[in-house]
Amino acid sequence: MQPRGLLMIEHRLIERMIILIDKEIKKIENTQEVNHSFIDIAVDFIKTYADRTHHGKEEDILFSELSKKKLSPADMNLMQELIQEHILARATTTAIIEASAAHQKGDTAAISLIVEHLRKLVTFYPKHMEKEDQTFFPTSMTYFSDAEQQTMLEEFWEFDRKLIHEKYKSIIDSLEE
């Protein structure tokens, strides 16, 4: 398996969550009620899986290794664009958290903000993942030898192995404060 294969497998799970978020948007619009349990699960998924796990592998490993290569201007620009998109996804997720908290405190106007920001994710992720799957990942792999790709894949697995410990240590640290 190439490193892009693992990243593309992760995309398929993210797509499934995006479908669920889209269904939840429709429920909110029809009922004007927010299922905060769903929002919490979706936010945790986006923050932990899509951002920290998936984008983490891209930024901390793939993009880091690519930055050591002589990329074409087009590939360098695309990588920078993807990084900016990751930043946008993080900001959107933070906005969902804030709007959800406001709604839980009684701000009914926050419902429209929740929907707006959830919709941004539903619009954003499919285009972002298609750009990576169809354009960036295939091209980026050409910069690496088979041995380098295998090493990167091993780094991806090690990254995942450490992540669960990082997440729950952080939770315990925050509870202890």
Side-chain angles (χ1 to χ4, degrees):
M1 176 188 299
Q2 290 184 332
R4 73 179 178 151
L6 181 59
L7 296 173
M8 291 170 73
I9 289 168
E10 291 173 356
H11 279 172
R12 304 299 73 85
L13 189 58
I14 295 167
E15 285 172 342
R16 291 170 60 192
M17 176 53 86
I18 294 304
I19 290 168
L20 294 171
I21 291 170
D22 192 40
K23 287 179 182 178
E24 193 63 28
I25 290 169
K26 289 173 179 63
K27 287 180 189 174
I28 296 169
E29 289 175 328
N30 288 334
T31 65
Q32 289 300 298
E33 294 179 11
V34 177
N35 178 343
H36 289 285
S37 294
F38 177 85
I39 298 297
D40 291 345
I41 291 166
V43 163
D44 180 66
F45 178 86
I46 296 297
K47 285 179 69 173
T48 304
Y49 189 81
D51 189 42
R52 184 68 190 113
T53 303
H54 179 73
H55 294 162
K57 277 198 254 340
E58 290 175 347
E59 293 175 2
D60 297 354
I61 300 170
L62 176 59
F63 296 174
S64 176
E65 291 301 315
L66 281 169
S67 69
K68 299 173 187 173
K69 304 286 185 177
K70 177 135 176 68
L71 300 184
S72 73
D75 291 339
M76 178 59 80
N77 288 340
L78 183 52
M79 185 170 75
Q80 292 305 316
E81 181 179 317
L82 294 171
I83 291 167
Q84 291 306 308
E85 289 177 1
H86 293 173
I87 292 167
L88 173 69
R90 288 180 192 114
T92 302
T93 304
T94 298
I96 293 167
I97 294 166
E98 291 168 356
S100 180
H103 181 258
Q104 288 176 326
K105 291 178 184 172
D107 181 359
T108 56
I111 293 173
S112 63
L113 291 173
I114 293 168
V115 168
E116 174 187 335
H117 297 303
L118 288 173
R119 187 168 281 118
K120 282 182 188 176
L121 290 181
V122 168
T123 302
F124 162 76
Y125 269 106
K127 292 175 186 174
H128 176 78
M129 292 184 294
E130 181 179 3
K131 188 184 309 180
E132 289 180 336
D133 287 353
Q134 301 300 317
T135 306
F136 188 74
F137 291 161
T139 301
S140 68
M141 289 300 110
T142 65
Y143 290 98
F144 301 106
S145 68
D146 289 343
E148 288 172 318
Q149 288 185 43
Q150 197 57 42
T151 298
M152 187 180 303
L153 189 58
E154 290 167 14
E155 289 178 42
F156 283 179
W157 292 119
E158 182 64 14
F159 185 92
D160 284 349
R161 190 184 69 73
K162 290 179 181 177
L163 191 64
I164 192 80
H165 299 282
E166 176 185 305
K167 176 179 169 120
Y168 289 102
K169 180 186 178 306
S170 173
I171 289 171
I172 297 301
D173 288 347
S174 69
L175 290 173
E176 288 175 339
E177 289 176 359

